[in-house]
Amino acid sequence: MARTVFHEEFCKGCGLCIEACPKKILAFAEHRLNHKGYQAVDCLRPEECTGCAICARTCPDVVIDVYREAGQAEGS
Amino acid sequence: MEEKLVFSRPEALTDMPTHYCPGCHHGIIHRLVAEVIDELGVRENTVGVASVGCSILAYDYFNVDMVGALHGRAPAVATGVKRGRPDSVVFTYQGDGDLAAIGTAEIIHAAARGENFTVVFVNNAIYGMTGGQMAPTTLDGQRTQTSPAGRDPHLAGHPLRMSELIATLSGPSFVTRTAVNTPARINQTRKAIKKAFELQLAGRGLGFVEVLSTCPTNWGLGAVESGQWVDSHMIPYYPLGVFKED
Ligand SMILES: Cc1ncc(C[n+]2csc(CCOP(=O)(O)OP(=O)(O)O)c2C)c(N)n1
Ligand code: SF4
Ligand code: SF4
Ligand code: SF4
């Protein structure tokens, strides 16, 4: 198990994380904007997240924290 | 179940949201510099020199001591900082309008002297901050506010390849060009920046890391399309690779 935490107020809705996620589990939230008015991002299928952190490393605004289960190898 | 935090904001970045446009690669490059500063444990000892361009406010974003230099003069200011405080770790962060236009003399002479600091050169092939004018690095045929029909090499010459030029000098210890438009390249760029900082720590002289970046706003493209434009237009003219390594 792994999970992402989005610090949504930093998000600018650029979509680079959505494009980069190898599991294609990120998508724009349909009905949620942040205070700047940008469309927020949701993880659609959190159970598929590998914790690879590719989304976080691609995000220009350092929106995303990534947690992995202790002992879990990168990308597994 | 026990879990650990495997990715979060580096300590060498402040908590301030940046003013960069959505998808602009400046943010990625800032984070990579900050990660390297953290990894090397030199945050308390680092002085960054911000330039003029969209990254002019870098002093608000890097959680290290910062100096703001006049347009193009960052390598001269960094020379003074490093010579005055040889124990500090010094880097400049400069755009292509800054480094390859008004600041061409400063970077070339700092490189020729082999000054012992790190240059992070962000090449987005345009003047971003001022609204998208042609830079010396603008590609042939590229449309900008001041080349609305596309850059005409008969009028403007061909774009400057700064890494190749700097690599002809004997002073620099390391000259490389990278990009951040794919996860693998983001990793490579972090390694290149780290190497340049390590060479500085070893007293080996100037490290020059050119990073191909994007300007979605002035290119008139979306964030994802801008990353693709780096592949389709920039890399064919600005090949990635190491141009000098002592
Ligand atoms: C002496 C001087 N001349 C011109 C300017 C106007 N000016 C501000 S930023 C800039 C170019 C910025 O382009 P670049 O370095 O590529 O950075 P970017 O904004 O694209 O990141 C220019 C010409 C200035 N501030 N000072
Ligand atoms: S950590 Fe990896 S799998 Fe999980 S959302 Fe981010 S990119 Fe996708
Ligand atoms: S990459 Fe960052 S800023 Fe862009 S949409 Fe994803 S979380 Fe938001
Ligand atoms: S104008 Fe261009 S370089 Fe400047 S912040 Fe916007 S996208 Fe980035």
Side-chain angles (χ1 to χ4, degrees):
Chain A
M1 268 297 281
R3 69 186 172 99
T4 50
V5 174
F6 284 71
H7 298 280
E8 199 163 289
E9 290 310 319
F10 282 81
C11 177
K12 294 175 185 155
C14 70
L16 291 184
C17 57
I18 297 172
E19 185 73 15
C21 172
K23 294 283 175 186
K24 297 291 168 224
I25 55 179
L26 301 177
F28 285 120
E30 267 175 55
H31 302 295
R32 197 170 76 256
L33 305 178
N34 68 11
H35 281 102
K36 290 198 193 87
Y38 292 118
Q39 217 170 349
V41 174
D42 275 336
C43 186
L44 299 179
R45 298 184 299 280
E47 67 286 357
E48 289 180 32
C49 176
T50 62
C52 66
I54 284 174
C55 54
R57 290 179 201 283
T58 305
C59 173
D61 291 281
V62 208
V63 171
I64 310 167
D65 289 347
V66 182
Y67 292 85
R68 271 203 297 264
E69 214 176 295
Q72 183 184 354
E74 189 162 341
S76 67
Chain B
M1 149 206 344
E2 218 187 307
E3 59 173 14
K4 61 176 194 291
L5 182 60
V6 293
F7 186 95
S8 61
R9 173 174 286 270
E11 224 188 314
L13 284 183
T14 65
D15 283 337
M16 191 176 294
T18 71
H19 70 291
Y20 299 119
C21 305
C24 173
H25 285 181
H26 266 305
I28 301 177
I29 301 164
H30 277 35
R31 196 196 72 236
L32 296 177
V33 172
E35 285 176 1
V36 167
I37 291 170
D38 283 1
E39 276 175 42
L40 296 174
V42 295
R43 193 175 65 81
E44 293 291 345
N45 202 23
T46 297
V47 183
V49 183
S51 62
V52 174
C54 281
S55 59
I56 193 166
L57 300 179
Y59 47 72
D60 280 340
Y61 307 143
F62 285 109
N63 190 12
V64 301
D65 288 336
M66 296 288 295
V67 188
L70 292 177
H71 205 10
R73 294 352 177 204
V77 173
T79 297
V81 173
K82 186 70 183 188
R83 288 190 181 197
R85 302 183 60 119
D87 291 338
S88 55
V89 178
V90 179
F91 73 93
T92 70
Y93 187 103
Q94 304 176 257
D96 48 310
D98 187 87
L99 182 142
I102 193 169
T104 316
E106 280 75 10
I107 187 59
I108 288 194
H109 289 288
R113 296 191 304 268
E115 296 293 342
N116 192 29
F117 59 81
T118 302
V119 177
V120 180
F121 168 41
V122 180
N123 181 1
N124 60 9
I126 206 158
Y127 289 4
M129 183 198 205
T130 44
Q133 295 81 6
M134 179 170 64
T137 43
T138 293
L139 296 166
D140 286 340
Q142 185 182 337
R143 290 171 195 271
T144 69
Q145 292 292 329
T146 48
S147 59
R151 178 178 179 143
D152 177 357
H154 298 293
L155 292 174
H158 295 289
L160 288 185
R161 293 187 176 104
M162 288 309 292
S163 286
E164 286 85 336
L165 213 147
I166 298 286
T168 63
L169 303 167
S170 54
S173 58
F174 180 50
V175 180
T176 187
R177 181 184 293 118
T178 65
V180 289
N181 66 335
T182 69
R185 288 181 183 145
I186 290 172
N187 251 338
Q188 284 156 7
T189 300
R190 184 173 47 72
K191 285 185 188 148
I193 294 171
K194 188 169 182 188
K195 182 170 176 139
F197 270 77
E198 282 170 342
L199 285 165
Q200 178 186 164
L201 287 167
R204 297 276 297 282
L206 194 109
F208 186 91
V209 183
E210 172 174 353
V211 187
L212 300 182
S213 188
T214 56
C215 182
T217 299
N218 290 301
W219 291 359
L221 295 172
V224 173
E225 292 70 30
S226 293
Q228 293 161 350
W229 201 84
V230 171
D231 276 329
S232 60
H233 289 76
M234 290 186 87
I235 292 177
Y237 189 82
Y238 294 121
L240 307 182
V242 174
F243 298 94
K244 186 166 195 281
E245 198 170 4
D246 281 350

Coordinates of all heavy atoms in Angstrom, one line a residue, chain A residues 1-3 9-10 12-16 19-20 36 38 51 53-54 56-72, chain B residues 1-10 13 15-28 31 35 183 186-187 190 223-224 228:
Chain A
M1 N 0.8 -1.2 0.0 CA 0.0 0.0 0.0 C 0.9 1.3 0.0 O 1.9 1.3 0.7 CB -0.9 0.0 1.3 CG -2.3 -0.6 1.1 SD -3.3 0.2 -0.1 CE -3.9 1.6 0.8
A2 N 0.4 2.2 -0.8 CA 1.1 3.5 -0.8 C 0.0 4.5 -1.0 O -1.1 4.2 -1.4 CB 2.1 3.5 -2.0
R3 N 0.4 5.8 -0.6 CA -0.7 6.8 -0.8 C 0.0 8.2 -1.1 O 1.1 8.4 -0.7 CB -1.6 6.9 0.3 CG -1.0 7.4 1.6 CD -2.0 7.3 2.8 NE -1.3 7.7 4.0 CZ -1.4 8.9 4.6 NH1 -2.1 9.8 4.1 NH2 -0.7 9.1 5.7
E9 N -3.8 23.5 -2.1 CA -3.7 25.0 -2.3 C -2.5 25.4 -3.1 O -2.5 26.5 -3.6 CB -3.7 25.7 -0.9 CG -5.1 25.6 -0.2 CD -6.3 26.0 -1.1 OE1 -6.1 27.0 -1.9 OE2 -7.3 25.3 -1.1
F10 N -1.5 24.5 -3.3 CA -0.4 24.9 -4.1 C -0.6 24.5 -5.6 O 0.2 24.8 -6.4 CB 0.9 24.1 -3.6 CG 1.5 24.7 -2.4 CD1 1.0 24.5 -1.1 CD2 2.6 25.5 -2.5 CE1 1.6 25.0 0.0 CE2 3.2 26.1 -1.4 CZ 2.7 25.8 -0.1
K12 N -1.7 24.2 -9.4 CA -2.1 25.1 -10.4 C -2.8 24.4 -11.6 O -3.0 25.0 -12.7 CB -0.9 25.9 -10.9 CG -0.3 26.8 -9.9 CD 1.0 27.4 -10.4 CE 1.7 28.2 -9.3 NZ 3.1 28.4 -9.5
G13 N -3.2 23.2 -11.4 CA -4.1 22.5 -12.4 C -3.4 22.3 -13.7 O -4.0 22.2 -14.7
C14 N -2.1 22.1 -13.7 CA -1.3 22.0 -15.0 C -1.5 20.6 -15.6 O -1.3 20.4 -16.8 CB 0.2 22.3 -14.8 SG 1.0 21.0 -13.8
G15 N -1.8 19.6 -14.8 CA -2.1 18.3 -15.3 C -0.8 17.4 -15.6 O -0.9 16.3 -16.1
L16 N 0.3 18.0 -15.2 CA 1.6 17.2 -15.5 C 1.6 15.9 -14.7 O 2.1 14.9 -15.2 CB 2.8 18.0 -15.2 CG 3.1 19.2 -16.2 CD1 4.4 19.9 -15.9 CD2 3.1 18.7 -17.7
E19 N -0.6 13.2 -16.4 CA 0.1 12.7 -17.5 C 1.2 11.7 -17.2 O 1.4 10.7 -17.8 CB 0.6 13.9 -18.3 CG 1.2 13.5 -19.7 CD 0.2 13.2 -20.7 OE1 -1.0 13.4 -20.5 OE2 0.6 12.6 -21.7
A20 N 1.9 12.0 -16.1 CA 3.1 11.3 -15.7 C 2.8 10.0 -15.0 O 3.6 9.0 -15.1 CB 4.0 12.2 -14.9
K36 N -7.3 29.4 -5.5 CA -6.9 30.2 -6.7 C -7.8 29.9 -7.9 O -7.6 30.6 -8.9 CB -5.4 29.8 -7.1 CG -4.4 30.2 -6.1 CD -3.0 30.1 -6.8 CE -1.9 30.2 -5.8 NZ -1.5 28.9 -5.3
Y38 N -8.0 26.9 -9.4 CA -7.5 25.8 -10.3 C -8.3 24.5 -9.9 O -8.6 24.3 -8.7 CB -6.0 25.6 -10.1 CG -5.2 26.8 -10.6 CD1 -4.4 27.5 -9.8 CD2 -5.2 27.1 -12.0 CE1 -3.6 28.6 -10.3 CE2 -4.5 28.1 -12.5 CZ -3.7 28.9 -11.6 OH -2.9 29.9 -12.1
G51 N 3.3 4.1 -5.1 CA 4.2 5.0 -4.3 C 5.5 5.3 -5.0 O 6.5 5.6 -4.4
A53 N 6.2 7.8 -6.7 CA 6.4 9.3 -6.6 C 6.7 10.0 -7.9 O 7.2 11.1 -7.9 CB 7.6 9.5 -5.6
I54 N 6.5 9.4 -9.0 CA 6.7 10.0 -10.3 C 5.8 11.3 -10.4 O 6.2 12.3 -10.9 CB 6.5 9.0 -11.4 CG1 7.7 8.1 -11.5 CG2 6.3 9.7 -12.8 CD1 7.5 7.0 -12.5
A56 N 4.9 13.2 -8.0 CA 5.4 14.2 -7.1 C 6.7 14.8 -7.7 O 6.9 16.0 -7.6 CB 5.7 13.6 -5.7
R57 N 7.5 14.0 -8.3 CA 8.7 14.5 -8.9 C 8.5 15.3 -10.2 O 9.3 16.0 -10.6 CB 9.7 13.3 -9.2 CG 10.2 12.7 -8.0 CD 11.2 11.5 -8.3 NE 11.3 10.6 -7.2 CZ 12.0 10.9 -6.1 NH1 12.7 12.0 -6.0 NH2 12.0 10.1 -5.1
T58 N 7.3 15.1 -10.8 CA 7.0 15.9 -12.0 C 6.3 17.2 -11.7 O 6.3 18.1 -12.5 CB 6.0 15.0 -12.9 OG1 6.7 13.7 -13.1 CG2 5.7 15.6 -14.2
C59 N 5.7 17.3 -10.5 CA 4.9 18.5 -10.2 C 5.8 19.7 -10.0 O 6.6 19.7 -9.1 CB 4.1 18.2 -8.9 SG 3.2 19.7 -8.3
P60 N 5.6 20.7 -10.7 CA 6.4 21.9 -10.6 C 6.1 22.7 -9.3 O 6.8 23.6 -8.9 CB 6.0 22.8 -11.8 CG 5.2 21.9 -12.7 CD 4.6 20.9 -11.9
D61 N 5.0 22.4 -8.6 CA 4.6 23.2 -7.5 C 4.7 22.4 -6.2 O 4.1 22.8 -5.1 CB 3.2 23.8 -7.7 CG 3.3 24.9 -8.8 OD1 3.8 26.0 -8.5 OD2 3.1 24.6 -10.0
V62 N 5.3 21.3 -6.2 CA 5.6 20.5 -5.0 C 4.3 20.3 -4.2 O 4.3 20.5 -2.9 CB 6.7 21.1 -4.1 CG1 7.5 20.0 -3.3 CG2 7.8 21.8 -5.0
V63 N 3.3 19.9 -4.9 CA 2.0 19.7 -4.3 C 1.9 18.4 -3.5 O 1.1 18.3 -2.5 CB 0.9 19.8 -5.4 CG1 -0.5 19.4 -4.8 CG2 0.9 21.2 -6.0
I64 N 2.6 17.4 -4.0 CA 2.3 16.0 -3.6 C 3.3 15.4 -2.6 O 4.5 15.4 -2.9 CB 2.2 15.1 -4.9 CG1 1.3 15.8 -5.9 CG2 1.7 13.7 -4.5 CD1 1.4 15.2 -7.3
D65 N 2.9 14.9 -1.5 CA 3.7 14.0 -0.6 C 3.3 12.6 -0.9 O 2.2 12.3 -1.3 CB 3.4 14.3 0.9 CG 3.8 15.6 1.3 OD1 4.6 16.3 0.6 OD2 3.4 16.0 2.4
V66 N 4.3 11.7 -0.8 CA 4.1 10.3 -1.1 C 4.5 9.4 0.1 O 5.6 9.6 0.7 CB 4.8 9.8 -2.3 CG1 4.6 8.3 -2.6 CG2 4.5 10.7 -3.5
Y67 N 3.6 8.5 0.6 CA 3.9 7.6 1.7 C 4.0 6.2 1.1 O 3.2 5.8 0.2 CB 2.8 7.7 2.7 CG 2.8 9.0 3.5 CD1 2.1 10.1 3.0 CD2 3.5 9.1 4.7 CE1 2.1 11.3 3.7 CE2 3.4 10.3 5.4 CZ 2.7 11.4 4.9 OH 2.7 12.6 5.6
R68 N 4.9 5.4 1.6 CA 4.9 4.0 1.3 C 5.0 3.2 2.6 O 5.5 3.7 3.6 CB 6.2 3.6 0.5 CG 6.0 3.8 -1.0 CD 7.0 2.9 -1.7 NE 8.4 3.3 -1.5 CZ 9.1 4.1 -2.3 NH1 8.5 4.6 -3.4 NH2 10.3 4.4 -2.0
E69 N 4.5 2.0 2.5 CA 4.5 1.1 3.7 C 6.0 0.8 4.0 O 6.8 0.6 3.1 CB 3.9 -0.3 3.3 CG 3.1 -0.9 4.4 CD 2.5 -2.2 3.9 OE1 1.5 -2.0 3.1 OE2 2.9 -3.3 4.3
A70 N 6.3 0.8 5.3 CA 7.7 0.6 5.7 C 8.2 -0.7 5.1 O 7.5 -1.7 5.2 CB 7.9 0.6 7.2
G71 N 9.3 -0.8 4.5 CA 9.9 -2.0 3.9 C 9.5 -2.2 2.5 O 10.1 -3.0 1.8
Q72 N 8.5 -1.4 2.0 CA 8.1 -1.6 0.6 C 9.1 -1.0 -0.3 O 9.5 0.1 -0.2 CB 6.7 -0.9 0.4 CG 6.1 -1.1 -1.0 CD 4.8 -0.3 -1.1 OE1 4.3 0.3 -0.2 NE2 4.3 -0.2 -2.3
Chain B
M1 N -0.5 -0.5 10.3 CA 0.6 -0.7 9.4 C 1.5 0.6 9.5 O 1.0 1.7 9.5 CB 0.0 -0.9 8.0 CG 0.8 -0.4 6.9 SD -0.2 -0.1 5.4 CE -1.7 -0.9 5.7
E2 N 2.8 0.3 9.4 CA 3.7 1.5 9.5 C 4.0 2.0 8.1 O 4.2 1.2 7.2 CB 5.0 1.0 10.2 CG 5.6 2.0 11.1 CD 7.0 1.6 11.6 OE1 7.1 0.4 12.1 OE2 7.9 2.3 11.4
E3 N 4.0 3.3 8.0 CA 4.3 3.8 6.7 C 5.3 4.9 6.8 O 5.4 5.5 7.9 CB 3.1 4.3 5.9 CG 2.3 5.4 6.7 CD 1.1 6.0 5.8 OE1 0.8 5.4 4.8 OE2 0.6 7.0 6.2
K4 N 6.1 5.1 5.7 CA 7.1 6.2 5.8 C 6.9 7.2 4.7 O 6.4 6.8 3.6 CB 8.5 5.7 5.9 CG 8.9 4.9 4.7 CD 10.4 4.5 4.9 CE 11.1 4.0 3.7 NZ 10.7 2.7 3.1
L5 N 7.2 8.4 5.0 CA 7.1 9.5 4.0 C 8.3 9.4 3.0 O 9.5 9.5 3.5 CB 7.2 10.8 4.7 CG 7.0 12.1 4.0 CD1 5.7 12.2 3.2 CD2 7.2 13.3 4.9
V6 N 8.0 9.1 1.8 CA 9.2 8.9 0.8 C 9.4 10.1 -0.1 O 10.4 10.2 -0.8 CB 9.0 7.6 0.0 CG1 9.1 6.4 0.9 CG2 7.7 7.6 -0.8
F7 N 8.4 11.0 -0.1 CA 8.6 12.2 -0.9 C 7.9 13.4 -0.3 O 6.7 13.3 -0.1 CB 8.2 12.0 -2.4 CG 8.6 13.2 -3.2 CD1 9.8 13.2 -4.0 CD2 7.8 14.4 -3.2 CE1 10.1 14.3 -4.7 CE2 8.2 15.5 -4.0 CZ 9.3 15.5 -4.7
S8 N 8.6 14.5 -0.1 CA 7.9 15.7 0.4 C 8.8 16.9 0.0 O 9.9 16.7 -0.5 CB 7.7 15.6 1.9 OG 9.0 15.5 2.5
R9 N 8.3 18.0 0.3 CA 9.0 19.3 0.0 C 10.3 19.4 0.6 O 10.5 19.1 1.8 CB 8.1 20.5 0.5 CG 8.7 21.8 0.5 CD 7.6 22.9 0.9 NE 6.7 23.1 -0.2 CZ 6.8 23.9 -1.2 NH1 7.8 24.8 -1.2 NH2 5.9 24.0 -2.1
P10 N 11.4 19.7 -0.2 CA 12.7 19.7 0.4 C 12.8 20.9 1.4 O 12.1 21.9 1.3 CB 13.7 19.9 -0.7 CG 12.8 20.2 -1.9 CD 11.4 19.8 -1.6
L13 N 13.6 24.5 0.2 CA 12.5 25.4 -0.4 C 11.7 26.0 0.8 O 11.4 25.3 1.8 CB 11.6 24.6 -1.3 CG 12.0 24.2 -2.7 CD1 10.9 23.5 -3.4 CD2 12.5 25.4 -3.5
D15 N 8.1 27.7 2.2 CA 6.7 27.2 2.1 C 5.9 28.1 1.2 O 4.7 28.0 1.1 CB 6.0 27.1 3.4 CG 6.4 25.9 4.2 OD1 6.9 24.9 3.5 OD2 6.3 25.9 5.4
M16 N 6.5 29.1 0.5 CA 5.8 30.0 -0.3 C 5.4 29.5 -1.6 O 6.2 28.9 -2.3 CB 6.7 31.3 -0.5 CG 5.9 32.4 -1.0 SD 6.9 33.9 -1.2 CE 7.1 34.3 0.5
P17 N 4.1 29.6 -2.0 CA 3.7 29.2 -3.4 C 4.4 30.1 -4.4 O 4.6 31.3 -4.1 CB 2.2 29.4 -3.4 CG 1.8 29.7 -2.0 CD 3.0 30.2 -1.2
T18 N 4.8 29.5 -5.5 CA 5.6 30.3 -6.5 C 4.6 31.1 -7.4 O 3.4 30.7 -7.5 CB 6.4 29.4 -7.4 OG1 5.6 28.7 -8.2 CG2 7.3 28.5 -6.6
H19 N 5.1 32.1 -8.0 CA 4.3 32.9 -9.0 C 4.4 32.3 -10.4 O 3.8 32.9 -11.3 CB 4.7 34.3 -9.0 CG 6.1 34.5 -9.6 ND1 7.2 34.0 -9.1 CD2 6.4 35.0 -10.8 CE1 8.3 34.3 -9.9 NE2 7.8 34.9 -11.0
Y20 N 5.1 31.2 -10.6 CA 5.2 30.7 -11.9 C 3.9 30.2 -12.5 O 3.0 29.8 -11.8 CB 6.3 29.5 -11.9 CG 7.6 30.0 -11.5 CD1 8.2 29.4 -10.3 CD2 8.3 31.0 -12.1 CE1 9.4 29.8 -9.9 CE2 9.5 31.4 -11.7 CZ 10.1 30.9 -10.6 OH 11.3 31.3 -10.1
C21 N 3.8 30.3 -13.8 CA 2.6 29.9 -14.5 C 2.4 28.4 -14.4 O 3.3 27.6 -14.2 CB 2.7 30.2 -16.0 SG 3.1 31.9 -16.4
P22 N 1.1 27.9 -14.5 CA 0.9 26.5 -14.4 C 1.7 25.7 -15.4 O 1.8 26.0 -16.6 CB -0.6 26.4 -14.8 CG -1.2 27.7 -14.4 CD -0.1 28.7 -14.7
G23 N 2.4 24.7 -14.8 CA 3.2 23.8 -15.7 C 4.6 24.3 -16.0 O 5.3 23.5 -16.7
C24 N 4.9 25.5 -15.7 CA 6.2 26.0 -16.0 C 7.3 25.2 -15.3 O 7.2 24.9 -14.1 CB 6.3 27.5 -15.5 SG 8.0 28.2 -15.7
H25 N 8.4 24.8 -16.1 CA 9.4 23.9 -15.5 C 10.3 24.6 -14.5 O 11.1 23.9 -13.8 CB 10.2 23.3 -16.6 CG 9.5 22.2 -17.4 ND1 10.0 21.5 -18.4 CD2 8.2 21.7 -17.2 CE1 9.2 20.6 -18.8 NE2 8.1 20.7 -18.1
H26 N 10.2 25.9 -14.4 CA 11.1 26.6 -13.3 C 10.8 25.9 -12.0 O 11.8 25.8 -11.2 CB 10.7 28.1 -13.2 CG 11.5 29.0 -14.0 ND1 12.9 29.1 -14.0 CD2 11.1 30.0 -14.9 CE1 13.3 30.1 -14.8 NE2 12.3 30.6 -15.4
G27 N 9.6 25.6 -11.7 CA 9.3 25.0 -10.4 C 10.0 23.7 -10.2 O 10.5 23.4 -9.1
I28 N 10.1 22.9 -11.2 CA 10.7 21.6 -11.1 C 12.2 21.8 -10.9 O 12.9 21.2 -10.0 CB 10.6 20.7 -12.4 CG1 9.1 20.5 -12.7 CG2 11.3 19.4 -12.3 CD1 8.8 19.7 -13.9
R31 N 13.0 22.9 -7.4 CA 13.0 21.8 -6.4 C 14.2 20.9 -6.5 O 14.7 20.5 -5.5 CB 11.7 20.9 -6.7 CG 11.4 20.0 -5.5 CD 10.4 18.9 -5.9 NE 11.0 17.9 -6.7 CZ 10.6 17.6 -7.9 NH1 9.5 18.1 -8.4 NH2 11.3 16.6 -8.6
E35 N 16.7 20.0 -3.6 CA 16.9 18.6 -3.1 C 18.4 18.3 -3.0 O 18.9 17.7 -2.1 CB 16.3 17.6 -4.2 CG 14.8 17.5 -4.0 CD 14.2 16.6 -5.1 OE1 14.9 16.0 -5.9 OE2 13.0 16.5 -5.1
P183 N 10.1 11.9 -16.4 CA 10.6 11.5 -15.1 C 12.1 11.1 -15.1 O 12.9 11.5 -14.2 CB 9.7 10.3 -14.7 CG 8.5 10.5 -15.5 CD 8.9 11.2 -16.8
I186 N 14.2 14.2 -15.3 CA 14.2 14.9 -14.0 C 15.3 14.4 -13.1 O 16.0 15.1 -12.5 CB 12.8 14.9 -13.4 CG1 11.8 15.7 -14.2 CG2 12.8 15.4 -12.0 CD1 10.4 15.6 -13.8
N187 N 15.4 13.0 -13.1 CA 16.4 12.4 -12.3 C 17.8 12.7 -12.7 O 18.7 13.0 -11.9 CB 16.2 10.8 -12.4 CG 15.7 10.3 -11.1 OD1 15.8 10.9 -10.1 ND2 15.0 9.1 -11.2
R190 N 18.8 16.2 -11.7 CA 19.1 16.2 -10.3 C 20.6 15.7 -10.1 O 21.4 16.3 -9.4 CB 18.2 15.4 -9.4 CG 18.5 15.6 -7.9 CD 17.5 14.9 -7.0 NE 17.1 13.6 -7.4 CZ 17.9 12.5 -7.3 NH1 19.1 12.6 -6.7 NH2 17.5 11.3 -7.7
A223 N 0.5 22.9 -20.8 CA 1.7 22.4 -20.0 C 2.2 21.1 -20.6 O 3.4 20.9 -20.8 CB 1.2 22.2 -18.6
V224 N 1.3 20.2 -20.9 CA 1.7 18.9 -21.4 C 2.3 19.0 -22.8 O 3.4 18.5 -23.2 CB 0.5 17.9 -21.4 CG1 0.9 16.6 -22.2 CG2 0.1 17.6 -20.0
Q228 N 6.1 18.3 -24.7 CA 6.3 17.6 -26.0 C 7.1 18.5 -27.0 O 7.9 18.0 -27.8 CB 5.0 17.2 -26.6 CG 4.3 16.1 -25.8 CD 2.8 16.1 -26.0 OE1 2.2 16.9 -26.7 NE2 2.1 15.1 -25.5

